[in-house]
Amino acid sequence: MADRRKMHLVAYLKAGPNFSYPSSWRHPAATLDDLFEPARWEHCARVLEAGLFDACFFADGLGIPDLYKGSYADYVGRGGQLTLVDPMVLLPQMARVTERLGLGVTLSTSFTPAYVAARWLGSLDLISKGRAAWNVVTTGRDFEARNLGQAGLPPKEARYDMADEVLEACDALWHGWEPDALVLDRVAGTFADPDKIRRANYEGRYIRTEGPLSIPRSPQGRPVLMQAGASPRGREFAARWAEMIFCTPATKADALAFRSDIRARMQAIGRDPDHCAVLPSVTVVIGETEAIARERAAHLESLVDPELVLAASSWSVVADLSRIGDPAALAGEGSHQGVQGHRDRMLQVARQKGISFAEAVRRPRDLLAGTAAQVADMMEDWFAAGACDGFILPPTVFPGTFEEVTRLLVPELQRRGLYRTAYAGRTLRENLRHPG
């Protein structure tokens, strides 16, 4: 049993009232009075570590979406996925109360200078003793570019070319310190060995940085890299760099096709496919009985604000869905904007359910509702079929979902030999490579 392949679990977080299921902040069990309290996130981190999660990561963006009806009124007024506190402020507090849980943050390679990214993430990796992860995004929406002083985004291909250079530069900066460069010899008066610290001297088409970085090397060398690209160029980028991939396929067949493609791309460039965990997102509602779970799911569905769903879907597909209901019309929308994975998922849902695209964008994500055993059945089915290496779990009710997963679902997965019973390593990379 101990030799069986083991499943990874990663928690999806947002530093605001709502996560991926619309209007769930309205649930009476969702905490709101602690939105700006460090204890909110410290408790979450402790629960996830008790559940032996590989990591958590904060999804993020650089502003409030204003695509739906040309305004941010519905998105912010109805409680969308808002970032109310910069996650880089929260993660060190979560690191302080945990020892094994990986800690991920989203940063854009289009707007974060390589040296700054390396400095921020290297610092988080160092103080967490090798548990940092970087959710690498290139940014797909013009409103974010405008917030950063630019008229709009560069073309997608150029954004990915820039991202390659940012990661090359960051890698050079992170490895500019040898593991034993810090000497700390009081008697000899030698704090560090300068011969073991080198400049990056990176120069590309878009990125230049000299170095050296002022941050010593962390126990895992560099942060774990996470990515969510779904376009051909995004998959090429993921195959080169990603150690975790966040994806949103609508069906097991879609998930299997995606993972197979990523693994083939990794093999083609000489990377071990087992060094990247492909993790679809699934939204679970767990009950002590099936009836309880379905009642909970029905209550969540009753809270959903239809206008917020459309505002969120407009953000996803980068188009004003108050005036567009035909997927063919998206081709002319946003030109170089957009995230391919979100559009693909909308089309997959429409195909799977036999509904129109206009109907698909008006639906919140399906909830996987059932007992712990029933939820584990679905997860085991996908995992055993090779459709994934584990799952991204967003909460419906925060923090209750994670408490229920830790209390009910994790023991069920452990009984089946699908999930670790203890962390194998101290760093995030060690636990990803050796989950058993």
Side-chain angles (χ1 to χ4, degrees):
M1 190 75 76
D3 295 332
R4 288 181 62 183
R5 178 169 161 255
K6 296 294 193 295
M7 189 181 292
H8 299 282
L9 293 182
V10 174
Y12 176 102
L13 301 176
K14 284 289 291 189
N18 211 52
F19 297 79
S20 69
Y21 195 77
S23 306
S24 59
W25 66 271
R26 300 174 62 194
H27 195 283
T31 62
L32 290 175
D33 57 353
D34 62 349
L35 279 172
F36 307 111
E37 296 294 332
R40 174 183 177 90
W41 302 106
E42 291 172 353
H43 173 71
C44 176
R46 290 189 183 101
V47 168
L48 295 174
E49 186 160 271
L52 304 174
F53 275 59
D54 290 82
C56 60
F57 82 101
F58 282 94
D60 201 8
L62 299 168
I64 300 174
D66 58 1
L67 296 159
Y68 185 58
K69 300 178 183 176
S71 169
Y72 52 74
D74 284 297
Y75 199 91
V76 68
R78 299 172 190 271
Q81 291 194 57
L82 302 166
T83 295
L84 301 180
V85 179
D86 192 316
M88 286 299 289
V89 175
L90 304 175
L91 287 166
Q93 299 175 73
M94 298 171 75
R96 187 181 66 84
V97 299
T98 53
E99 295 181 352
R100 298 290 190 273
L101 179 70
L103 303 160
V105 67
T106 299
L107 289 177
S108 172
T109 52
S110 298
F111 301 114
T112 311
Y115 193 93
V116 173
R119 188 170 186 263
W120 283 349
L121 292 157
S123 297
L124 179 62
D125 209 24
L126 198 59
I127 67 166
S128 66
K129 299 181 174 61
R131 295 186 285 136
W134 179 5
N135 180 35
V136 182
V137 299
T138 62
T139 302
R141 296 161 183 91
D142 277 339
F143 77 88
E144 297 180 74
R146 293 193 296 271
N147 286 340
L148 274 297
Q150 299 184 22
L153 294 171
K156 179 180 287 189
E157 293 291 325
R159 297 201 304 273
Y160 273 114
D161 291 346
M162 182 185 297
D164 276 321
E165 291 191 4
V166 169
L167 291 191
E168 289 168 358
C170 285
D171 194 54
L173 289 163
W174 286 322
H175 288 90
W177 287 64
E178 294 297 324
D180 57 349
L182 279 180
V183 179
L184 306 180
D185 187 334
R186 297 175 188 269
V187 175
T190 304
F191 182 78
D193 183 347
D195 291 334
K196 295 184 178 181
I197 303 168
R198 59 182 178 272
R199 298 187 188 278
N201 287 329
Y202 182 86
E203 184 169 346
R205 180 181 176 187
Y206 301 97
I207 305 300
R208 295 181 183 179
T209 185
E210 183 179 76
L213 192 66
S214 65
I215 313 299
R217 189 182 301 200
S218 80
Q220 68 174 353
R222 73 176 189 192
V224 166
L225 301 177
M226 183 176 182
Q227 211 264 338
S231 67
R233 183 64 177 92
R235 295 184 189 202
E236 177 189 328
F237 182 82
R240 180 181 178 189
W241 294 105
E243 296 166 87
M244 294 189 286
I245 294 179
F246 170 35
C247 56
T248 57
T251 68
K252 183 173 74 172
D254 294 319
L256 184 58
F258 178 81
R259 181 172 180 266
S260 297
D261 180 66
I262 291 293
R263 290 175 67 84
R265 289 172 184 269
M266 291 181 68
Q267 283 185 314
I269 61 173
R271 279 192 72 198
D272 184 345
D274 290 335
H275 288 174
C276 180
V278 177
L279 307 170
S281 175
V282 60
T283 306
V284 303
V285 177
I286 301 171
E288 288 75 9
T289 67
E290 182 177 358
I292 290 173
R294 294 195 179 281
E295 183 178 348
R296 289 176 177 172
H299 181 54
L300 282 163
E301 290 165 355
S302 74
L303 299 174
V304 171
D305 184 328
E307 288 294 291
L308 180 57
V309 176
L310 275 176
S313 293
S314 293
W315 172 86
S316 294
V317 302
V318 193
D320 181 359
L321 294 174
S322 67
R323 60 183 183 81
I324 290 178
D326 179 359
L330 292 179
E333 284 289 313
S335 59
H336 52 272
Q337 296 188 78
V339 177
Q340 187 67 45
H342 291 303
R343 295 186 180 191
D344 287 347
R345 187 179 187 283
M346 296 290 185
L347 295 171
Q348 290 167 7
V349 168
R351 183 187 68 238
Q352 175 201 20
K353 297 185 178 299
I355 59 178
S356 70
F357 177 79
E359 291 172 305
V361 299
R362 285 168 168 78
R363 293 175 59 95
R365 290 189 178 183
D366 287 342
L367 297 171
L368 177 60
T371 64
Q374 289 171 323
V375 171
D377 284 344
M378 173 272 175
M379 295 171 74
E380 182 175 10
D381 179 41
W382 281 41
F383 183 68
C388 66
D389 297 290
F391 296 89
I392 303 283
L393 297 181
T396 48
V397 178
F398 183 88
T401 297
F402 294 135
E403 294 168 346
E404 290 165 357
V405 166
T406 294
R407 178 170 58 90
L408 298 172
L409 180 59
V410 164
E412 179 64 29
L413 294 172
Q414 289 170 331
R415 279 192 289 272
R416 301 180 185 209
L418 294 170
Y419 193 66
R420 62 167 62 94
T421 55
Y423 287 107
R426 297 192 66 87
T427 72
L428 174 54
R429 186 169 286 109
E430 287 170 346
N431 286 317
L432 284 171
R433 297 283 178 89
H434 307 288

